[in-house]
């Protein structure tokens, strides 16, 4: 029974102790440590933090600005030039697709044409050799390269037979070797780009309002000399993208034209300029032997006098151009400025934390520093507890106690 009472009393004591510890108040105390080591570390840390905020946060990242990354953009394109291909003069309507002049367009460099195709039955043209119908039965009603198999074996060339298909006949032979249209390198592309930053209601274009028709006819884009000329030569674009025209014209490919608008609206309007870069977007296809480059098929349909439909099938190898626009704009605003200044002043306190760690754990005289830094004052002078802190015999009830100093202790570490 005595043990139960003793345990209950211990529990009540612990609860009362926890309650008293909860209702405590901590205040800072100034301790001046005169130490070369700590002083140098403190100032170096503060200098690094201040340099970071001034150099990186404010000057480089411009954290004092409100930024608008929701750029609104429109792109219009036109291609001009004439080329000779298979003894024919090709104009824009022949080699540009789609024709709407959007941000993505293709310039056809090479074509494999299969003319006068009609719906019917004909032999396949690739890898479906046979000697008898039983060789083709397993493919019946299955799709082949250019149609649906019938299950029959029919002559294709001398001493060669192929499985028969139903579809557009004759089937395409896409292994024919043809030369690309080399004049494409001299074609020009007109790019008209208009952008808007809705947060600031700011609009700009990639050519100046003062540009005239005479200037457009004569100018050619140059990154250093003529950044506002919207006329781009295909050969120059490929050169800036580090691509070989002959190889690209043979296999096709995808070229990216990037227009970046990085605008500081605290500066003059002339400082908001388009920055162009050019790159090969399908670079991985160059490393693969499976379907390298870029090609597609389309057909032109006609009708005979008897009403029968026929078509000309074209397999086109092309250079596809993707005009990609990105950017952001910034302008001074008091709110982010205040937020980042407060963050800067607060971060300077990291030096104090680091110096405290060094003083309390690594330098000589750590015990002396602890005695001055941590002190417990109770409103009950008889209430002295051993909780690991350095205690003072001061009582908050001794109202007659006076002090003439600033409340700062000085610890001298200078030799």
């Amino acid at each position: 029974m005595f043990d139960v009472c003793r345990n209950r009393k211990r529990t009540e004591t612990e609860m009362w102790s926890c309650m008293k510890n909860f209702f405590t108040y901590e205040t800072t105390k100034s301790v001046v440590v005169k130490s070369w080591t700590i002083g140098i570390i403190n100032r170096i840390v503060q200098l690094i933090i201040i340099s970071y905020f001034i150099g990186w946060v404010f000057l480089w990242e411009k954290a004092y600005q409100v930024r608008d990354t929701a750029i609104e953009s429109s792109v219009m394109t036109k291609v001009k030039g004439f080329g000779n291909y298979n003894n024919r003069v090709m104009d824009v309507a022949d080699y540009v697709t789609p024709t709407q002049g959007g941000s993505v367009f293709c310039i056809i460099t090479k074509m494999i044409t299969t003319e006068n195709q009609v719906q019917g039955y004909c032999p396949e043209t690739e890898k479906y050799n046979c000697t008898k119908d039983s060789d083709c039965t397993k493919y019946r009603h299955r799709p082949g390269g250019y149609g649906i198999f019938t299950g029959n074996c029919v002559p294709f060339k001398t001493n060669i037979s192929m499985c028969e298909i139903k579809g557009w006949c004759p089937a395409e032979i896409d292994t024919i070797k043809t030369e690309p249209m080399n004049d494409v390198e001299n074609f020009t592309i007109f790019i008209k780009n208009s952008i808007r930053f809705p947060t600031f209601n700011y609009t700009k274009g990639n050519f100046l309002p003062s540009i005239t028709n005479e200037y457009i006819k004569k100018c050619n884009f140059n990154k250093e000399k003529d950044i506002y000329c919207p006329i781009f030569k295909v050969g120059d674009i490929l050169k800036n993208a580090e691509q070989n025209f002959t190889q690209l014209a043979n296999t096709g490919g995808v070229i990216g034209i990037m227009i970046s608008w990085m605008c500081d609206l605290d500066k003059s309007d002339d400082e908001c300029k388009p920055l162009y870069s050019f790159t090969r977007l399908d670079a991985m296809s160059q490393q693969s032997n499976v379907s390298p480059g870029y090609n597609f098929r389309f057909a032109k349909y006609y009708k005979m006098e008897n009403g029968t439909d026929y078509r000309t099938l074209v397999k086109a190898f092309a250079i596809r151009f993707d005009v990609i626009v990105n950017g952001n704009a910034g302008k001074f605003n008091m709110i982010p400025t205040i937020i980042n200044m407060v963050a800067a002043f607060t971060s300077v306190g990291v030096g104090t934390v680091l110096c405290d760690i060094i003083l309390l754990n690594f330098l000589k005289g750590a015990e002396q520093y602890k005695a001055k830094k941590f002190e417990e004052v109770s409103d009950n002078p008889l209430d002295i507890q051993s909780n690991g802190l350095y205690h003072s015999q001061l009582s908050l009830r001794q109202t007659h106690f006076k002090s003439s100093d600033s409340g700062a202790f000085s610890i001298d570490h200078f030799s």
Side-chain angles (χ1 to χ4, degrees), residues 48-62:
I48 292 173
I49 293 172
I50 292 172
S51 300
Y52 165 77
F53 274 92
I54 293 176
W56 176 260
V57 176
F58 284 98
L59 296 181
W60 182 259
E61 291 293 325
K62 294 180 172 62

Side-chain angles (χ1 to χ4, degrees), residues 6 22 31 64 81 86 119 134 141 164 170-171 225 236 276-277 287 328 378 393:
R6 191 181 299 110
F22 178 76
V31 179
Y64 56 86
N86 289 341
Q119 285 286 318
S134 58
H141 305 310
E164 186 184 53
K225 299 179 181 179
D236 293 340
Y276 293 89
S277 60
Q287 305 174 15
N328 63 75
S378 174
Q393 299 299 322

Side-chain angles (χ1 to χ4, degrees), residues 147-377:
I148 305 298
F149 288 107
T150 64
N152 300 323
C153 183
V154 295
F156 176 56
K157 293 180 180 179
T158 305
N159 299 325
I160 299 177
S161 295
M162 290 281 186
C163 293
E164 186 184 53
I165 60 167
K166 180 183 179 181
W168 288 98
C169 296
E172 178 190 61
I173 302 176
D174 66 352
T175 56
I176 298 174
K177 300 294 183 182
T178 60
E179 293 298 320
M181 182 167 55
N182 293 320
D183 299 305
V184 172
E185 194 172 11
N186 297 317
F187 291 172
T188 59
I189 303 171
F190 170 74
I191 301 177
K192 184 178 181 180
N193 175 221
S194 298
I195 58 100
R196 177 176 177 267
F197 292 106
T199 300
F200 310 113
N201 194 26
Y202 178 83
T203 58
K204 194 74 184 285
N206 67 327
F207 59 93
L208 300 173
S210 58
I211 288 179
T212 62
N213 289 329
E214 289 73 18
Y215 171 78
I216 291 291
K217 292 176 182 178
K218 297 178 181 179
C219 77
N220 190 29
F221 172 81
N222 186 286
K223 280 187 176 182
E224 298 177 356
K225 299 179 181 179
D226 207 345
I227 194 173
Y228 280 109
C229 177
I231 305 298
F232 298 79
K233 191 177 177 181
V234 171
D236 293 340
I237 293 175
L238 299 183
K239 187 180 298 183
N240 284 309
E242 300 180 351
Q243 295 298 309
N244 179 274
F245 170 76
T246 303
Q247 180 180 355
L248 196 64
N250 270 297
T251 62
V254 184
I255 299 295
I257 302 175
M258 268 68 72
I259 308 177
S260 298
W261 294 88
M262 303 300 175
C263 299
D264 186 350
L265 302 186
D266 293 326
K267 299 180 180 179
S268 66
D269 185 67
D270 295 338
E271 296 296 322
C272 184
K273 300 177 181 179
L275 301 176
Y276 293 89
S277 60
F278 311 91
T279 186
R280 177 80 181 265
L281 296 180
D282 64 330
M284 290 301 298
S285 68
Q286 297 176 280
Q287 305 174 15
S288 174
N289 294 324
V290 179
S291 187
Y294 178 75
N295 62 77
F296 57 92
R297 289 177 175 83
F298 65 93
K300 300 177 181 179
Y301 293 87
Y302 309 93
K303 190 178 290 287
M304 298 180 183
E305 293 182 358
N306 61 3
T308 303
D309 292 325
Y310 72 100
R311 73 177 188 180
T312 297
L313 178 66
V314 179
K315 180 179 181 180
F317 295 83
I319 303 174
R320 194 182 89 184
F321 293 91
D322 292 11
V323 183
I324 304 170
V325 182
N326 63 78
N328 63 75
K331 194 173 185 178
F332 174 80
N333 188 278
M334 186 58 69
I335 294 176
T337 302
I338 293 175
I339 292 174
N340 284 283
M341 287 182 66
V342 171
F345 291 135
T346 305
S347 299
V348 172
V350 173
T352 303
V353 175
L354 179 61
C355 291
D356 278 348
I357 294 174
I358 296 173
L359 272 172
L360 293 171
N361 298 279
F362 301 106
L363 291 185
K364 295 180 180 179
E367 292 299 321
Q368 182 186 4
Y369 179 68
K370 290 179 182 179
K372 294 297 183 181
K373 182 173 178 61
F374 302 108
E375 185 175 28
E376 184 177 295
V377 179

Side-chain angles (χ1 to χ4, degrees), residues 82-90 179-183 187:
F82 294 94
N84 289 291
Y85 187 74
N86 289 341
N87 296 321
R88 293 173 56 191
V89 176
M90 307 281 284
E179 293 298 320
M181 182 167 55
N182 293 320
D183 299 305
F187 291 172

Side-chain angles (χ1 to χ4, degrees), residues 375-405:
E375 185 175 28
E376 184 177 295
V377 179
S378 174
D379 61 353
N380 185 359
L382 300 178
D383 185 14
I384 301 175
Q385 302 175 12
S386 300
N387 54 7
L389 296 175
Y390 293 84
H391 299 283
S392 172
Q393 299 299 322
L394 299 177
S395 172
L396 296 180
R397 294 179 180 177
Q398 293 173 324
T399 56
H400 61 276
F401 179 80
K402 295 182 180 180
S403 175
S404 59
D405 64 11

Side-chain angles (χ1 to χ4, degrees), residues 86-99:
N86 289 341
N87 296 321
R88 293 173 56 191
V89 176
M90 307 281 284
D91 62 13
V92 176
D94 295 317
Y95 60 73
V96 173
T97 183
T99 58

Side-chain angles (χ1 to χ4, degrees), residues 20-91:
K20 287 199 300 181
N21 289 335
F22 178 76
F23 291 103
T24 58
Y25 167 72
E26 294 181 2
T27 185
T28 57
K29 180 179 180 181
S30 179
V31 179
V32 179
V33 181
K34 296 180 179 180
S35 168
W36 283 107
T37 304
I38 296 299
I40 291 173
I41 293 174
N42 183 43
R43 298 309 179 195
I44 289 176
V45 172
Q46 289 177 346
L47 180 62
I48 292 173
I49 293 172
I50 292 172
S51 300
Y52 165 77
F53 274 92
I54 293 176
W56 176 260
V57 176
F58 284 98
L59 296 181
W60 182 259
E61 291 293 325
K62 294 180 172 62
Y64 56 86
Q65 293 182 331
V66 170
R67 307 208 68 81
D68 184 3
T69 58
I71 185 173
E72 298 174 354
S73 171
S74 69
V75 175
M76 185 189 75
T77 58
K78 290 182 180 179
V79 181
K80 287 189 177 182
F82 294 94
N84 289 291
Y85 187 74
N86 289 341
N87 296 321
R88 293 173 56 191
V89 176
M90 307 281 284
D91 62 13

